[in-house]
Amino acid sequence: MLPVTIDDIHAAAAALEGQVARTPTIAAPQLSGILGCEIFLKLETLQRTGSFKDRGAYNKLRSLGKAERKRGVVAMSAGNHAQGVAYHATRLGIPSTIVMPTFTPFTKVAKTEGYGARVVLVGQTLDDSMGHARKLVDEEGLTLIHPYDDPHIVAGQGTAGLEMLADVPDLDDIVVPIGGGGLISGIAIAARSIRPSVRITGVEAALYASMSDAVAGRTGIYGGATIAEGIAVKSPGVLTRQIIAELVDDIVTVEETVLEHGVHMLLTQQKLVAEGAGAAGIAGILANPERFAGRRVGVVVCGGNIDPRILASILMRGLVRNGQIARLRIEIEDSPGVLSRIAGIIGAIGGNIIETYHQRLFFQIPVKRADIDVVVETRDRAHVEVIIAKLTAEGYPAKLLGDVGA
Protein backbone atom coordinates (compact mmCIF):
# COMPACT_ATOMS: atom_id res chain seq x y z
CA MET A 1 0.00 0.00 0.00
CA LEU A 2 1.37 3.39 -1.02
CA PRO A 3 0.86 6.41 1.26
CA VAL A 4 -0.93 8.36 -1.51
CA THR A 5 -3.63 6.98 -3.82
CA ILE A 6 -5.17 8.05 -7.10
CA ASP A 7 -8.30 8.98 -5.13
CA ASP A 8 -6.20 11.42 -3.09
CA ILE A 9 -4.97 13.00 -6.32
CA HIS A 10 -8.47 13.28 -7.76
CA ALA A 11 -9.61 14.92 -4.50
CA ALA A 12 -6.71 17.36 -4.76
CA ALA A 13 -7.63 18.14 -8.36
CA ALA A 14 -11.17 19.03 -7.30
CA ALA A 15 -9.86 21.25 -4.50
CA LEU A 16 -7.33 22.99 -6.77
CA GLU A 17 -9.86 23.84 -9.48
CA GLY A 18 -10.01 27.62 -9.72
CA GLN A 19 -7.18 28.00 -7.17
CA VAL A 20 -4.16 27.10 -9.31
CA ALA A 21 -3.67 27.17 -13.07
CA ARG A 22 -4.54 24.21 -15.24
CA THR A 23 -1.37 24.47 -17.30
CA PRO A 24 -1.19 23.33 -20.93
CA THR A 25 0.82 20.49 -22.39
CA ILE A 26 2.14 21.68 -25.75
CA ALA A 27 3.91 20.03 -28.66
CA ALA A 28 7.55 21.09 -29.06
CA PRO A 29 8.35 20.59 -32.76
CA GLN A 30 11.71 22.38 -32.70
CA LEU A 31 13.03 20.29 -29.82
CA SER A 32 11.50 17.15 -31.30
CA GLY A 33 13.44 17.62 -34.52
CA ILE A 34 16.72 18.15 -32.68
CA LEU A 35 16.33 15.37 -30.11
CA GLY A 36 14.83 12.67 -32.33
CA CYS A 37 11.62 12.06 -30.42
CA GLU A 38 8.18 13.63 -30.24
CA ILE A 39 8.25 15.96 -27.26
CA PHE A 40 5.33 17.47 -25.35
CA LEU A 41 6.05 20.05 -22.64
CA LYS A 42 3.95 20.42 -19.50
CA LEU A 43 4.33 24.14 -18.75
CA GLU A 44 4.31 24.49 -14.98
CA THR A 45 6.19 27.74 -15.54
CA LEU A 46 2.75 29.29 -16.14
CA GLN A 47 1.62 28.83 -12.54
CA ARG A 48 1.05 32.03 -10.58
CA THR A 49 4.38 31.71 -8.77
CA GLY A 50 6.22 30.24 -11.74
CA SER A 51 6.42 26.58 -10.69
CA PHE A 52 4.47 23.41 -9.93
CA LYS A 53 4.85 24.06 -6.20
CA ASP A 54 1.56 25.99 -6.19
CA ARG A 55 -0.25 22.67 -6.40
CA GLY A 56 1.11 20.93 -3.33
CA ALA A 57 1.32 24.12 -1.27
CA TYR A 58 -2.37 24.94 -1.71
CA ASN A 59 -3.46 21.35 -1.17
CA LYS A 60 -1.56 21.16 2.12
CA LEU A 61 -2.60 24.59 3.39
CA ARG A 62 -6.29 23.96 2.72
CA SER A 63 -6.08 20.86 4.93
CA LEU A 64 -5.04 22.79 8.07
CA GLY A 65 -7.42 23.33 10.98
CA LYS A 66 -8.37 26.72 12.39
CA ALA A 67 -5.86 26.59 15.23
CA GLU A 68 -3.00 25.67 12.88
CA ARG A 69 -3.94 28.46 10.50
CA LYS A 70 -3.97 30.98 13.30
CA ARG A 71 -0.53 30.01 14.62
CA GLY A 72 0.97 30.12 11.14
CA VAL A 73 3.18 27.92 9.02
CA VAL A 74 6.87 27.58 8.26
CA ALA A 75 8.52 26.15 5.16
CA MET A 76 12.06 25.46 4.00
CA SER A 77 12.87 26.10 0.36
CA ALA A 78 15.43 27.42 -2.11
CA GLY A 79 12.66 29.37 -3.76
CA ASN A 80 9.79 27.69 -5.56
CA HIS A 81 8.15 25.93 -2.62
CA ALA A 82 8.75 29.13 -0.67
CA GLN A 83 6.81 31.19 -3.18
CA GLY A 84 4.00 28.68 -3.42
CA VAL A 85 3.53 28.54 0.34
CA ALA A 86 3.88 32.32 0.79
CA TYR A 87 1.40 33.16 -1.96
CA HIS A 88 -1.32 30.71 -0.97
CA ALA A 89 -0.85 31.24 2.77
CA THR A 90 -1.40 34.97 2.29
CA ARG A 91 -4.49 34.26 0.16
CA LEU A 92 -5.86 32.05 2.94
CA GLY A 93 -5.00 34.51 5.72
CA ILE A 94 -2.31 32.29 7.22
CA PRO A 95 0.94 33.89 8.53
CA SER A 96 3.97 32.29 6.86
CA THR A 97 7.69 32.12 7.62
CA ILE A 98 10.06 30.83 4.97
CA VAL A 99 13.56 29.61 5.80
CA MET A 100 15.86 29.85 2.77
CA PRO A 101 19.54 28.91 2.32
CA THR A 102 21.92 31.82 2.00
CA PHE A 103 22.75 30.85 -1.62
CA THR A 104 19.15 31.42 -2.78
CA PRO A 105 19.02 33.78 -5.79
CA PHE A 106 17.92 37.28 -4.82
CA THR A 107 15.03 37.21 -7.27
CA LYS A 108 13.46 34.30 -5.37
CA VAL A 109 13.97 35.97 -1.98
CA ALA A 110 12.36 39.19 -3.21
CA LYS A 111 9.40 37.40 -4.74
CA THR A 112 8.80 35.36 -1.59
CA GLU A 113 8.76 38.50 0.53
CA GLY A 114 6.51 40.12 -2.05
CA TYR A 115 3.95 37.37 -1.51
CA GLY A 116 3.73 38.32 2.16
CA ALA A 117 6.08 35.90 3.92
CA ARG A 118 8.67 36.55 6.58
CA VAL A 119 11.94 35.32 5.05
CA VAL A 120 14.81 34.01 7.18
CA LEU A 121 18.12 33.26 5.43
CA VAL A 122 19.93 30.48 7.29
CA GLY A 123 22.46 27.83 6.29
CA GLN A 124 24.66 26.85 3.39
CA THR A 125 22.52 23.85 2.43
CA LEU A 126 18.85 22.89 2.31
CA ASP A 127 19.48 20.54 5.24
CA ASP A 128 20.77 23.46 7.34
CA SER A 129 17.64 25.43 6.48
CA MET A 130 15.37 22.52 7.34
CA GLY A 131 17.02 22.25 10.75
CA HIS A 132 16.19 25.88 11.47
CA ALA A 133 12.63 25.44 10.21
CA ARG A 134 12.11 22.56 12.64
CA LYS A 135 13.52 24.76 15.40
CA LEU A 136 10.83 27.37 14.63
CA VAL A 137 8.20 24.64 14.83
CA ASP A 138 9.32 23.92 18.39
CA GLU A 139 9.85 27.54 19.46
CA GLU A 140 6.84 29.24 17.85
CA GLY A 141 4.34 26.43 17.38
CA LEU A 142 4.29 26.80 13.63
CA THR A 143 3.11 24.03 11.31
CA LEU A 144 5.81 22.73 8.98
CA ILE A 145 4.86 22.65 5.31
CA HIS A 146 7.37 20.13 4.01
CA PRO A 147 8.46 20.68 0.39
CA TYR A 148 7.99 17.05 -0.64
CA ASP A 149 7.68 14.46 2.13
CA ASP A 150 3.98 14.90 2.86
CA PRO A 151 0.93 13.05 1.43
CA HIS A 152 -0.98 16.29 0.75
CA ILE A 153 2.01 17.74 -1.09
CA VAL A 154 2.45 14.60 -3.20
CA ALA A 155 -1.25 14.45 -4.03
CA GLY A 156 -1.25 18.10 -5.07
CA GLN A 157 1.75 17.64 -7.34
CA GLY A 158 0.15 14.56 -8.84
CA THR A 159 -2.59 16.68 -10.41
CA ALA A 160 -0.02 17.73 -13.04
CA GLY A 161 0.09 14.10 -14.16
CA LEU A 162 -3.70 13.95 -14.50
CA GLU A 163 -3.66 17.03 -16.71
CA MET A 164 -0.75 15.89 -18.86
CA LEU A 165 -2.35 12.55 -19.71
CA ALA A 166 -5.72 14.20 -20.29
CA ASP A 167 -4.03 16.41 -22.91
CA VAL A 168 -1.82 13.69 -24.47
CA PRO A 169 -3.24 10.27 -23.51
CA ASP A 170 -0.89 8.13 -25.63
CA LEU A 171 2.49 9.13 -24.21
CA ASP A 172 5.23 6.48 -24.27
CA ASP A 173 7.37 8.27 -21.68
CA ILE A 174 7.07 10.87 -18.95
CA VAL A 175 10.26 12.64 -17.83
CA VAL A 176 10.27 14.52 -14.53
CA PRO A 177 13.01 16.37 -12.59
CA ILE A 178 13.78 14.97 -9.13
CA GLY A 179 14.86 16.84 -6.03
CA GLY A 180 13.09 15.54 -2.97
CA GLY A 181 10.76 13.51 -5.18
CA GLY A 182 7.33 15.01 -4.50
CA LEU A 183 6.53 15.88 -8.12
CA ILE A 184 7.57 12.61 -9.71
CA SER A 185 5.88 10.62 -6.93
CA GLY A 186 2.51 12.27 -7.49
CA ILE A 187 2.80 12.07 -11.29
CA ALA A 188 3.83 8.41 -11.12
CA ILE A 189 0.76 7.51 -9.06
CA ALA A 190 -1.52 9.34 -11.49
CA ALA A 191 0.20 7.94 -14.58
CA ARG A 192 0.21 4.33 -13.43
CA SER A 193 -3.53 4.58 -12.76
CA ILE A 194 -4.37 6.13 -16.14
CA ARG A 195 -1.76 4.58 -18.45
CA PRO A 196 0.05 1.66 -16.76
CA SER A 197 2.36 1.08 -19.75
CA VAL A 198 3.92 4.54 -19.71
CA ARG A 199 7.62 4.60 -18.87
CA ILE A 200 8.55 7.09 -16.14
CA THR A 201 12.06 8.52 -15.91
CA GLY A 202 13.38 10.87 -13.25
CA VAL A 203 16.25 13.29 -13.82
CA GLU A 204 18.67 14.44 -11.11
CA ALA A 205 21.59 16.85 -11.16
CA ALA A 206 24.76 14.76 -11.02
CA LEU A 207 26.01 16.74 -8.03
CA TYR A 208 22.87 15.79 -6.08
CA ALA A 209 22.09 12.22 -7.08
CA SER A 210 20.65 11.49 -3.65
CA MET A 211 17.35 9.87 -4.70
CA SER A 212 18.86 7.44 -7.19
CA ASP A 213 21.40 6.43 -4.57
CA ALA A 214 18.73 6.05 -1.90
CA VAL A 215 16.52 3.88 -4.10
CA ALA A 216 19.52 1.70 -5.01
CA GLY A 217 20.60 1.42 -1.38
CA ARG A 218 23.76 3.43 -1.92
CA THR A 219 25.19 6.34 -0.01
CA GLY A 220 27.09 9.23 -1.51
CA ILE A 221 28.51 12.68 -0.96
CA TYR A 222 26.42 15.47 -2.48
CA GLY A 223 27.15 19.14 -2.95
CA GLY A 224 28.59 21.81 -5.15
CA ALA A 225 27.39 24.79 -7.13
CA THR A 226 24.55 23.94 -9.51
CA ILE A 227 22.25 25.96 -11.75
CA ALA A 228 19.51 23.51 -10.73
CA GLU A 229 19.23 24.69 -7.13
CA GLY A 230 15.55 23.69 -7.10
CA ILE A 231 16.56 20.01 -7.16
CA ALA A 232 19.77 20.33 -5.12
CA VAL A 233 18.56 18.00 -2.36
CA LYS A 234 20.95 16.00 -0.20
CA SER A 235 18.28 14.16 1.82
CA PRO A 236 15.47 12.75 -0.34
CA GLY A 237 12.07 12.07 1.15
CA VAL A 238 11.24 8.84 2.94
CA LEU A 239 7.65 8.79 1.69
CA THR A 240 8.65 9.77 -1.83
CA ARG A 241 11.49 7.24 -1.91
CA GLN A 242 8.96 4.45 -1.32
CA ILE A 243 6.74 5.63 -4.17
CA ILE A 244 9.63 6.13 -6.59
CA ALA A 245 11.09 2.69 -5.85
CA GLU A 246 7.69 1.16 -6.59
CA LEU A 247 6.53 3.14 -9.63
CA VAL A 248 9.43 4.91 -11.40
CA ASP A 249 11.29 2.96 -14.09
CA ASP A 250 14.63 4.73 -13.95
CA ILE A 251 16.52 7.77 -12.72
CA VAL A 252 19.23 9.40 -14.85
CA THR A 253 21.73 12.01 -13.75
CA VAL A 254 22.96 14.96 -15.81
CA GLU A 255 26.05 17.14 -15.57
CA GLU A 256 26.00 20.91 -15.19
CA THR A 257 26.93 21.62 -18.79
CA VAL A 258 23.96 19.56 -19.99
CA LEU A 259 21.58 21.33 -17.60
CA GLU A 260 22.87 24.63 -18.96
CA HIS A 261 22.34 23.39 -22.52
CA GLY A 262 18.77 22.41 -21.61
CA VAL A 263 17.98 25.94 -20.42
CA HIS A 264 19.52 27.36 -23.58
CA MET A 265 17.60 25.01 -25.89
CA LEU A 266 14.24 25.72 -24.29
CA LEU A 267 14.78 29.44 -24.71
CA THR A 268 16.30 29.51 -28.18
CA GLN A 269 14.33 26.67 -29.78
CA GLN A 270 10.91 26.93 -28.05
CA LYS A 271 11.07 30.51 -26.70
CA LEU A 272 10.40 29.24 -23.17
CA VAL A 273 12.20 30.49 -20.04
CA ALA A 274 13.05 27.72 -17.57
CA GLU A 275 15.29 27.58 -14.54
CA GLY A 276 17.96 24.91 -14.27
CA ALA A 277 15.69 22.47 -12.45
CA GLY A 278 12.89 23.24 -14.89
CA ALA A 279 15.09 22.27 -17.83
CA ALA A 280 16.35 19.05 -16.22
CA GLY A 281 13.86 16.91 -18.16
CA ILE A 282 15.18 18.18 -21.49
CA ALA A 283 18.73 17.75 -20.19
CA GLY A 284 17.91 14.13 -19.37
CA ILE A 285 16.89 13.51 -22.99
CA LEU A 286 19.95 15.36 -24.28
CA ALA A 287 22.18 13.07 -22.21
CA ASN A 288 20.33 9.87 -23.22
CA PRO A 289 18.99 10.34 -26.77
CA GLU A 290 18.96 6.62 -27.58
CA ARG A 291 16.60 5.94 -24.67
CA PHE A 292 13.88 8.16 -26.14
CA ALA A 293 14.49 7.88 -29.89
CA GLY A 294 11.25 7.76 -31.89
CA ARG A 295 8.98 7.82 -28.81
CA ARG A 296 6.26 10.20 -27.65
CA VAL A 297 7.72 11.88 -24.57
CA GLY A 298 6.01 14.15 -22.04
CA VAL A 299 8.45 16.43 -20.21
CA VAL A 300 7.54 18.46 -17.14
CA VAL A 301 9.07 21.95 -17.29
CA CYS A 302 8.63 22.40 -13.58
CA GLY A 303 9.79 25.99 -12.97
CA GLY A 304 10.78 29.24 -14.62
CA ASN A 305 12.17 31.29 -11.74
CA ILE A 306 15.71 31.76 -13.01
CA ASP A 307 18.00 34.57 -11.91
CA PRO A 308 18.22 36.99 -14.87
CA ARG A 309 21.99 37.22 -14.47
CA ILE A 310 22.33 33.45 -14.75
CA LEU A 311 20.05 33.43 -17.78
CA ALA A 312 22.08 36.16 -19.46
CA SER A 313 25.29 34.23 -18.82
CA ILE A 314 23.80 31.02 -20.24
CA LEU A 315 22.71 32.84 -23.38
CA MET A 316 26.15 34.37 -23.94
CA ARG A 317 27.91 31.06 -23.26
CA GLY A 318 25.54 29.43 -25.72
CA LEU A 319 26.60 31.88 -28.40
CA VAL A 320 30.23 30.98 -27.73
CA ARG A 321 29.41 27.26 -27.74
CA ASN A 322 27.68 27.60 -31.10
CA GLY A 323 30.52 29.64 -32.60
CA GLN A 324 28.41 32.80 -32.87
CA ILE A 325 30.86 34.68 -30.67
CA ALA A 326 34.55 33.86 -30.93
CA ARG A 327 37.74 35.28 -29.45
CA LEU A 328 40.66 35.33 -31.86
CA ARG A 329 44.32 36.09 -31.25
CA ILE A 330 45.95 37.75 -34.25
CA GLU A 331 49.69 38.39 -34.68
CA ILE A 332 50.45 41.75 -36.34
CA GLU A 333 53.23 44.18 -37.11
CA ASP A 334 52.96 46.98 -34.54
CA SER A 335 52.62 49.92 -36.93
CA PRO A 336 50.00 52.54 -37.82
CA GLY A 337 47.01 51.39 -39.88
CA VAL A 338 47.27 47.66 -39.16
CA LEU A 339 44.30 47.60 -36.83
CA SER A 340 42.21 49.30 -39.50
CA ARG A 341 43.22 46.66 -42.05
CA ILE A 342 42.36 43.85 -39.63
CA ALA A 343 38.92 45.35 -39.05
CA GLY A 344 38.43 45.71 -42.79
CA ILE A 345 39.25 42.05 -43.46
CA ILE A 346 36.90 40.82 -40.77
CA GLY A 347 34.12 43.19 -41.78
CA ALA A 348 34.39 42.33 -45.47
CA ILE A 349 33.49 38.69 -44.80
CA GLY A 350 30.64 39.42 -42.42
CA GLY A 351 32.29 39.41 -39.00
CA ASN A 352 31.42 42.06 -36.44
CA ILE A 353 34.12 43.08 -33.92
CA ILE A 354 32.65 43.50 -30.43
CA GLU A 355 35.82 44.06 -28.37
CA THR A 356 39.56 44.51 -29.05
CA TYR A 357 42.53 43.95 -26.72
CA HIS A 358 45.95 45.18 -27.89
CA GLN A 359 48.74 43.12 -26.27
CA ARG A 360 52.27 44.56 -26.36
CA LEU A 361 53.83 43.96 -22.95
CA PHE A 362 52.93 40.52 -21.61
CA PHE A 363 53.79 38.11 -24.42
CA GLN A 364 57.13 36.72 -25.66
CA ILE A 365 56.97 38.41 -29.06
CA PRO A 366 59.43 40.76 -30.84
CA VAL A 367 59.23 44.38 -29.76
CA LYS A 368 58.02 45.51 -33.19
CA ARG A 369 55.19 43.01 -33.25
CA ALA A 370 52.06 42.67 -31.14
CA ASP A 371 49.12 40.40 -30.53
CA ILE A 372 45.55 41.59 -30.88
CA ASP A 373 42.74 39.70 -29.21
CA VAL A 374 39.41 40.41 -30.88
CA VAL A 375 35.96 39.21 -29.85
CA VAL A 376 33.98 38.71 -33.04
CA GLU A 377 30.29 38.13 -33.66
CA THR A 378 29.92 35.47 -36.38
CA ARG A 379 27.28 33.30 -38.02
CA ASP A 380 28.51 29.91 -36.85
CA ARG A 381 31.62 27.80 -36.34
CA ALA A 382 32.25 27.47 -40.08
CA HIS A 383 32.23 31.27 -40.38
CA VAL A 384 34.88 31.47 -37.64
CA GLU A 385 37.13 29.16 -39.66
CA VAL A 386 36.64 31.32 -42.78
CA ILE A 387 37.69 34.45 -40.86
CA ILE A 388 40.79 32.73 -39.44
CA ALA A 389 41.79 31.45 -42.87
CA LYS A 390 41.32 34.86 -44.50
CA LEU A 391 43.36 36.69 -41.86
CA THR A 392 46.17 34.16 -42.10
CA ALA A 393 46.19 34.36 -45.89
CA GLU A 394 46.50 38.15 -45.68
CA GLY A 395 49.63 37.85 -43.50
CA TYR A 396 48.01 38.08 -40.08
CA PRO A 397 48.29 34.63 -38.42
CA ALA A 398 45.22 34.03 -36.28
CA LYS A 399 44.02 31.33 -33.91
CA LEU A 400 40.91 30.66 -31.89
CA LEU A 401 41.11 31.13 -28.12
CA GLY A 402 38.97 28.63 -26.27
CA ASP A 403 36.93 25.73 -27.64
CA VAL A 404 33.65 26.83 -29.21
CA GLY A 405 32.47 23.25 -29.13
CA ALA A 406 32.93 22.84 -25.39
Side-chain angles (χ1 to χ4, degrees), residues 258-400:
V258 186
L259 287 165
E260 180 181 328
H261 197 185
V263 174
H264 187 265
M265 287 187 69
L266 280 169
L267 184 57
T268 58
Q269 300 300 323
Q270 294 298 147
K271 316 309 177 189
L272 297 171
V273 175
E275 59 192 273
I282 293 299
I285 299 173
L286 272 168
N288 302 272
E290 69 290 339
R291 177 180 176 84
F292 302 98
R295 296 169 68 89
R296 290 169 63 83
V297 186
V299 181
V300 182
V301 185
C302 63
N305 294 314
I306 188 168
D307 187 322
R309 295 168 298 179
I310 297 296
L311 182 59
S313 179
I314 288 173
L315 285 172
M316 294 303 294
R317 286 161 59 91
L319 292 175
V320 173
R321 185 186 303 113
N322 294 335
Q324 293 168 284
I325 292 180
R327 183 166 177 167
L328 309 179
R329 178 159 293 164
I330 307 164
E331 185 179 337
I332 66 168
E333 180 182 347
D334 193 7
S335 61
V338 172
L339 186 56
S340 175
R341 290 194 289 274
I342 294 289
I345 293 169
I346 293 173
I349 51 178
N352 181 40
I353 297 176
I354 300 172
E355 295 177 344
T356 303
Y357 306 89
H358 208 142
Q359 309 286 357
R360 289 186 176 91
L361 302 178
F362 301 104
F363 294 96
Q364 293 181 347
I365 53 178
V367 70
K368 289 190 176 183
R369 299 192 66 82
D371 280 344
I372 294 177
D373 290 355
V374 294
V375 179
V376 184
E377 187 177 29
T378 63
R379 291 190 295 271
D380 51 31
R381 297 181 193 179
H383 192 200
V384 174
E385 294 303 321
V386 170
I387 292 172
I388 290 173
K390 182 65 173 176
L391 286 167
T392 301
E394 293 289 335
Y396 305 109
K399 63 181 179 180
L400 178 67

Side-chain angles (χ1 to χ4, degrees), residues 85-395:
V85 171
Y87 173 66
H88 290 290
T90 299
R91 288 183 60 229
L92 295 170
I94 303 172
S96 63
T97 299
I98 309 296
V99 182
M100 309 180 89
T102 55
F103 64 76
T104 304
F106 174 75
T107 181
K108 293 186 177 184
V109 175
K111 286 184 178 179
T112 303
E113 291 177 331
Y115 290 134
R118 174 182 62 150
V119 173
V120 181
L121 297 174
V122 174
Q124 297 299 314
T125 68
L126 292 170
D127 288 339
D128 294 341
S129 300
M130 178 58 81
H132 189 75
R134 294 190 185 282
K135 182 180 178 182
L136 293 178
V137 170
D138 295 335
E139 293 177 351
E140 301 182 18
L142 305 179
T143 298
L144 178 66
I145 310 298
H146 199 282
Y148 46 84
D149 219 15
D150 182 291
H152 287 97
I153 296 291
V154 171
Q157 320 303 29
T159 60
L162 296 180
E163 294 172 8
M164 176 182 281
L165 285 167
D167 289 346
V168 191
D170 56 346
L171 290 174
D172 299 315
D173 292 85
I174 296 176
V175 182
V176 188
I178 295 182
L183 179 61
I184 196 171
S185 294
I187 288 177
I189 294 166
R192 292 287 177 232
S193 174
I194 299 168
R195 185 171 171 77
S197 65
V198 72
R199 186 173 63 177
I200 302 171
T201 301
V203 182
E204 290 182 303
L207 292 172
Y208 293 86
S210 57
M211 182 62 79
S212 53
D213 281 351
V215 170
R218 302 186 297 261
T219 58
I221 298 173
Y222 316 109
T226 176
I227 64 167
E229 70 274 355
I231 55 174
V233 175
K234 293 185 176 181
S235 301
V238 176
L239 177 156
T240 56
R241 185 185 317 172
Q242 176 189 353
I243 298 170
I244 290 168
E246 180 76 20
L247 301 180
V248 174
D249 293 286
D250 197 11
I251 301 173
V252 299
T253 61
V254 290
E255 300 293 337
E256 288 300 302
T257 54
V258 186
L259 287 165
E260 180 181 328
H261 197 185
V263 174
H264 187 265
M265 287 187 69
L266 280 169
L267 184 57
T268 58
Q269 300 300 323
Q270 294 298 147
K271 316 309 177 189
L272 297 171
V273 175
E275 59 192 273
I282 293 299
I285 299 173
L286 272 168
N288 302 272
E290 69 290 339
R291 177 180 176 84
F292 302 98
R295 296 169 68 89
R296 290 169 63 83
V297 186
V299 181
V300 182
V301 185
C302 63
N305 294 314
I306 188 168
D307 187 322
R309 295 168 298 179
I310 297 296
L311 182 59
S313 179
I314 288 173
L315 285 172
M316 294 303 294
R317 286 161 59 91
L319 292 175
V320 173
R321 185 186 303 113
N322 294 335
Q324 293 168 284
I325 292 180
R327 183 166 177 167
L328 309 179
R329 178 159 293 164
I330 307 164
E331 185 179 337
I332 66 168
E333 180 182 347
D334 193 7
S335 61
V338 172
L339 186 56
S340 175
R341 290 194 289 274
I342 294 289
I345 293 169
I346 293 173
I349 51 178
N352 181 40
I353 297 176
I354 300 172
E355 295 177 344
T356 303
Y357 306 89
H358 208 142
Q359 309 286 357
R360 289 186 176 91
L361 302 178
F362 301 104
F363 294 96
Q364 293 181 347
I365 53 178
V367 70
K368 289 190 176 183
R369 299 192 66 82
D371 280 344
I372 294 177
D373 290 355
V374 294
V375 179
V376 184
E377 187 177 29
T378 63
R379 291 190 295 271
D380 51 31
R381 297 181 193 179
H383 192 200
V384 174
E385 294 303 321
V386 170
I387 292 172
I388 290 173
K390 182 65 173 176
L391 286 167
T392 301
E394 293 289 335

